[in-house]
Every structure is written in C-alpha cells, then in structure tokens.
Amino acid sequence: MRFPVSRRGLLTAGVGGLSLGLLTACGLRLDQDPEIPTLDSTQQLRNRLARILDSTSPGSGDPETAGEDLADFVAAVGPVWNPPTEFATEAPPTEEERTFVQAAEVASRAVFEASSSVGSGLIPVLSDVATGLALLAGTKKPEIISTADELIRAGREELDQSKNEKPKKSQSADEGDESDEKQADRSKVFNAILNQSRAAAYGYERLAVNFDSKSRERKSALARLESLGALSGEMLELLGEDAADPAASAWKLDPTPTDADSAKELALSLEDGIASALLPWLEADASAILRLWESARTRMVFGAVQPLRFTYDEPGQAEVQE
C-alpha cells in the first residue's frame, strides 16, 4: 500500500496535447507520432465526470448555490481530456445538457457504481465530488442519497469479498513484501484514523445529550457512534494488536458541548477531523469511500452540506482543508 499516490500525470496530459496541436498548426515537422496516453477505466470515469459537469447549467429546482458549487466541482475534477484531433481514432463522446440535480444524479451513480474498482490515485477526488453532488442534489431529490448509499455499500461488500477470496500469505511473507518504512507509514495512517474515530466517538457521547431524545440530531449522533465503532474495529483489524496505539482515557473537545449550538459546532469539527484522517487511506484504497460517505452524511445533519471535504489547489489533487 502506497501513500500518497500522485495524480498529476493524467491532468497535465491535456496540456501536452494542446501544445502539440499548436505546433502542428504552425507547420512544424514532427519526425514521429507522439505517444498519446491510454486512459484506464478510472481515468475514463474522471473524464466522463468532467464532460457531465461541462454540460451542466443550473436551472429551476436546483439548490440556490448550484452555480458556485458547480464551479468548485469543475475545478476539482479538472478539464475534459481532448487528444489532438489529428490523432483521434473516433469522435469524442458527448453528454446531454443537464440541470445541476440531473447531472448530480448521473455523475454520482457513475462513480458509486464503479466504487469497487476505482484507482489511479483518483479515488479521493472522484469520491469527494460524487459525495458532494449526491448530498447537495439530495436536498432537492432525496432518493439520490438513498441510491448512492446503496451503491456505496454494495461496492464495499464487493471489495471485501474480493479481498477475502485472495490467497492468504503467512505473516512472515507479508512482512517480507513490505519494507519497515512502508509498514511504519501504513501503521501511522491507520493509527491516525483509529485515534480520530475514538475521539469522535467520545465527542458524540458528550454532545448527544444536548439534543431532545426524539430529535434528528440525537438519533444521528447515536447512529454515528455505531459507525465510528465499526471504523475503529476496522482499523484495529488492519493494524493488529501490537501495532495499534492505546486508547486515551479522554480527549479534549473544542468546543466543549454545553448546548445545542456548541454541540452542533463540535459535531462539524469531529467530522472534519475524520475526513482529514481518512485522506491518506482514501488515496490508496477504495474501501475508505464508505467511511467518507458516512462522515459527510452525518455532518449534513448538524450543518449545511459541505460540497467538498478536501481542497484542490490542483485539479484532481486532494489536500486537507485548513
């Protein structure tokens, strides 16, 4: 398992293609055809998202922030891949014109249907964009959220089944395959998630009591305790008993929840911490998509939907939000 994975190659390839087209148009002689990158299935999926978003215009029935959010999604996903026309073997595919909600439904389904097989270092941006699209559009069309949830869980089950079907090697063989440095990096990533999930569980135990027992927030907080327990258990299994950090007796909460408003603020902070800890795992393993989705869905209960959990100074390259 490698952390992190570079995602620059695909997104800069279009610039090279553009430069080549300009040189050809100027009449410069090329002694040989340039090497045109072949897009793998995940890169093709990113390209389809770019085409869908490029053909989207906010319309009636869309969220009020659709125009601003669409621009952020376009910047995160990056440009449509357009190889030089003189080397294209077929016409590039096109997407029909759609409103934001229509595009979000198609785009999120496309990503989550493929969630068990995405790779190429593009897992963070694809899952982040698809999650944001589904949750934002779901405020207008709730079935988009339920469909996304079903697809993500089905993809996770498929991934787990695939991993279980692989022949298991002995512990000594596993250790021989990974350098001490890689094992240490791997343990660091999983321990960071483990510690953040433990802290979040402690926080939700403290904040839940600030809401009425029948409120949406109380029910969501209690449900979140269950999913955080599953996340902690998953990290403990991946780490093994010897590599897992011990649990703290308590964690500092900022802010300390004393009423509904401070409890909501704490919930948002806890989920932002979870998303940050998940990013290195997400860069290497599509299994983490489910955990990002659970965090994003919980976060929207205590505040407005956060379109993107990560920042993108460069298209396709996720960074932790400051």
Side-chain angles (χ1 to χ4, degrees):
M1 189 171 294
R2 197 166 158 261
F3 305 99
V5 181
S6 173
R7 296 171 295 282
R8 297 174 184 266
L10 167 69
L11 297 170
T12 58
V15 177
L18 176 60
S19 300
L20 173 64
L22 292 175
L23 290 173
T24 304
C26 292
L28 296 182
R29 180 174 178 273
L30 298 175
D31 292 331
Q32 60 184 19
D33 291 345
E35 182 178 347
I36 304 298
T38 300
L39 306 186
D40 66 19
S41 59
T42 301
Q43 293 163 342
Q44 291 174 21
L45 179 58
R46 185 214 68 85
N47 195 38
R48 190 185 174 206
L49 252 65
R51 293 198 313 269
I52 291 172
L53 296 175
D54 189 55
S55 301
T56 299
S57 300
S60 61
D62 283 341
E64 291 183 3
T65 60
E68 179 183 349
D69 295 332
L70 178 61
D72 290 339
F73 290 131
V74 168
V77 169
V80 175
W81 162 239
N82 287 314
T85 55
E86 58 267 39
F87 297 105
T89 57
E90 57 185 21
T94 59
E95 292 290 336
E96 64 183 74
E97 297 291 330
R98 297 184 176 93
T99 66
F100 183 88
V101 170
Q102 291 170 340
E105 184 170 19
V106 173
S108 60
R109 175 181 283 275
V111 172
F112 295 140
E113 281 182 339
S115 60
S116 64
S117 60
V118 293
S120 300
L122 292 170
I123 303 170
V125 65
L126 293 177
S127 56
D128 192 17
V129 168
T131 294
L133 285 169
L135 295 181
L136 281 167
T139 62
K140 296 294 184 179
K141 191 176 180 181
E143 55 264 38
I144 294 177
I145 295 178
S146 58
T147 297
D149 189 82
E150 292 172 2
L151 291 173
I152 291 169
R153 295 185 186 281
R156 178 57 192 266
E157 289 180 7
E158 187 175 338
L159 269 172
D160 290 345
Q161 183 177 356
S162 175
K163 291 176 182 178
N164 291 334
E165 289 175 351
K166 289 182 179 179
K168 292 185 178 180
K169 294 184 283 187
S170 65
Q171 183 177 1
S172 60
D174 287 338
E175 291 175 352
D177 287 345
E178 286 189 322
S179 67
D180 291 342
E181 184 177 355
K182 286 183 178 180
Q183 289 183 44
D185 288 345
R186 184 175 182 271
S187 294
K188 183 178 180 181
V189 168
F190 293 148
N191 267 312
I193 299 172
L194 174 62
N195 292 332
Q196 194 64 50
S197 64
R198 287 167 167 169
Y202 173 74
Y204 273 107
E205 288 176 350
R206 294 283 304 277
L207 70 84
V209 297
N210 291 280
F211 300 103
D212 183 85
S213 60
K214 296 182 179 180
S215 68
R216 182 185 181 215
E217 290 84 359
R218 171 74 78 90
K219 292 177 181 178
S220 180
L222 296 179
R224 187 61 173 136
L225 285 171
E226 183 176 348
S227 62
L228 286 168
L231 176 57
S232 295
E234 185 175 6
M235 293 302 103
L236 286 170
E237 184 176 352
L238 289 169
L239 283 161
E241 184 177 347
D242 295 337
D245 289 343
S249 57
W251 285 264
K252 182 180 179 180
L253 302 179
D254 185 20
T256 300
T258 56
D259 54 24
D261 288 340
S262 58
K264 289 180 180 179
E265 186 179 348
L266 175 60
L268 300 183
S269 176
L270 294 173
E271 294 304 341
D272 288 347
I274 290 289
S276 296
L278 286 174
L279 180 55
W281 184 29
L282 196 64
E283 289 177 323
D285 190 347
S287 298
I289 292 175
L290 172 62
R291 303 309 181 187
L292 184 71
W293 171 256
E294 290 173 338
S295 175
R297 284 201 70 182
T298 302
R299 194 186 190 285
M300 72 179 293
V301 173
F302 299 94
V305 177
Q306 189 177 35
L308 293 169
R309 307 302 304 282
F310 309 117
T311 59
Y312 298 88
D313 291 337
E314 296 183 29
Q317 191 161 357
E319 303 289 345
V320 172
Q321 290 203 22
E322 296 296 337

